[in-house]
Short mmCIF file of all heavy atoms in Angstrom, two decimals:
data_model
loop_
_atom_site.label_atom_id
_atom_site.label_comp_id
_atom_site.label_asym_id
_atom_site.label_seq_id
_atom_site.Cartn_x
_atom_site.Cartn_y
_atom_site.Cartn_z
N GLU A 1509 -4.79 -56.81 -13.82
CA GLU A 1509 -3.51 -56.53 -13.19
C GLU A 1509 -2.37 -57.21 -13.92
O GLU A 1509 -1.26 -56.70 -14.00
CB GLU A 1509 -3.54 -56.99 -11.73
CG GLU A 1509 -4.54 -56.20 -10.89
CD GLU A 1509 -4.54 -56.68 -9.45
OE1 GLU A 1509 -3.79 -57.63 -9.16
OE2 GLU A 1509 -5.27 -56.10 -8.63
N ASP A 1510 -2.65 -58.42 -14.48
CA ASP A 1510 -1.61 -59.13 -15.21
C ASP A 1510 -1.17 -58.36 -16.43
O ASP A 1510 0.03 -58.27 -16.73
CB ASP A 1510 -2.11 -60.53 -15.61
CG ASP A 1510 -2.42 -61.39 -14.38
OD1 ASP A 1510 -1.84 -61.08 -13.31
OD2 ASP A 1510 -3.23 -62.32 -14.49
N CYS A 1511 -2.17 -57.78 -17.15
CA CYS A 1511 -1.83 -57.01 -18.35
C CYS A 1511 -1.07 -55.74 -17.98
O CYS A 1511 -0.15 -55.33 -18.68
CB CYS A 1511 -3.11 -56.63 -19.12
SG CYS A 1511 -3.97 -58.08 -19.79
N VAL A 1512 -1.47 -55.13 -16.86
CA VAL A 1512 -0.77 -53.92 -16.44
C VAL A 1512 0.67 -54.23 -16.08
O VAL A 1512 1.60 -53.51 -16.43
CB VAL A 1512 -1.50 -53.28 -15.25
CG1 VAL A 1512 -0.71 -52.11 -14.70
CG2 VAL A 1512 -2.90 -52.84 -15.65
N SER A 1513 0.88 -55.34 -15.39
CA SER A 1513 2.25 -55.71 -15.03
C SER A 1513 3.07 -56.06 -16.25
O SER A 1513 4.25 -55.74 -16.35
CB SER A 1513 2.21 -56.90 -14.06
OG SER A 1513 1.59 -58.02 -14.68
N ILE A 1514 2.43 -56.70 -17.26
CA ILE A 1514 3.15 -57.04 -18.50
C ILE A 1514 3.56 -55.76 -19.22
O ILE A 1514 4.69 -55.61 -19.68
CB ILE A 1514 2.27 -57.93 -19.40
CG1 ILE A 1514 2.10 -59.30 -18.76
CG2 ILE A 1514 2.89 -58.08 -20.79
CD1 ILE A 1514 1.13 -60.19 -19.50
N ALA A 1515 2.61 -54.80 -19.30
CA ALA A 1515 2.92 -53.55 -19.99
C ALA A 1515 3.99 -52.76 -19.26
O ALA A 1515 4.87 -52.15 -19.86
CB ALA A 1515 1.66 -52.70 -20.13
N ALA A 1516 3.95 -52.81 -17.94
CA ALA A 1516 4.97 -52.09 -17.18
C ALA A 1516 6.33 -52.74 -17.33
O ALA A 1516 7.35 -52.07 -17.34
CB ALA A 1516 4.56 -52.05 -15.71
N THR A 1517 6.35 -54.06 -17.45
CA THR A 1517 7.62 -54.76 -17.59
C THR A 1517 8.24 -54.53 -18.96
O THR A 1517 9.43 -54.26 -19.10
CB THR A 1517 7.43 -56.27 -17.36
OG1 THR A 1517 6.84 -56.47 -16.07
CG2 THR A 1517 8.76 -57.01 -17.45
N ASN A 1518 7.41 -54.61 -20.01
CA ASN A 1518 7.92 -54.46 -21.37
C ASN A 1518 8.16 -53.00 -21.75
O ASN A 1518 8.86 -52.71 -22.70
CB ASN A 1518 6.94 -55.08 -22.37
CG ASN A 1518 6.84 -56.59 -22.18
OD1 ASN A 1518 7.75 -57.20 -21.61
ND2 ASN A 1518 5.75 -57.18 -22.63
N GLY A 1519 7.59 -52.09 -21.00
CA GLY A 1519 7.74 -50.67 -21.33
C GLY A 1519 6.70 -50.24 -22.34
O GLY A 1519 6.10 -49.22 -22.22
N THR A 1520 6.47 -51.00 -23.37
CA THR A 1520 5.45 -50.72 -24.39
C THR A 1520 4.66 -51.98 -24.63
O THR A 1520 5.17 -53.10 -24.47
CB THR A 1520 6.09 -50.27 -25.71
OG1 THR A 1520 7.01 -51.26 -26.13
CG2 THR A 1520 6.84 -48.95 -25.52
N THR A 1521 3.43 -51.86 -25.03
CA THR A 1521 2.56 -53.01 -25.28
C THR A 1521 2.82 -53.54 -26.68
O THR A 1521 2.50 -52.87 -27.67
CB THR A 1521 1.09 -52.59 -25.12
OG1 THR A 1521 0.93 -52.00 -23.85
CG2 THR A 1521 0.18 -53.78 -25.26
N THR A 1522 3.39 -54.74 -26.78
CA THR A 1522 3.67 -55.35 -28.06
C THR A 1522 2.44 -56.08 -28.58
O THR A 1522 1.42 -56.20 -27.89
CB THR A 1522 4.84 -56.34 -27.93
OG1 THR A 1522 4.49 -57.33 -26.98
CG2 THR A 1522 6.09 -55.59 -27.43
N GLY A 1523 2.57 -56.60 -29.79
CA GLY A 1523 1.44 -57.30 -30.39
C GLY A 1523 1.09 -58.57 -29.63
O GLY A 1523 -0.07 -58.91 -29.42
#
Side-chain angles (χ1 to χ4, degrees):
E1509 295 180 358
D1510 297 337
C1511 295
V1512 174
S1513 61
I1514 292 173
T1517 303
N1518 295 338
T1520 56
T1521 306
T1522 59

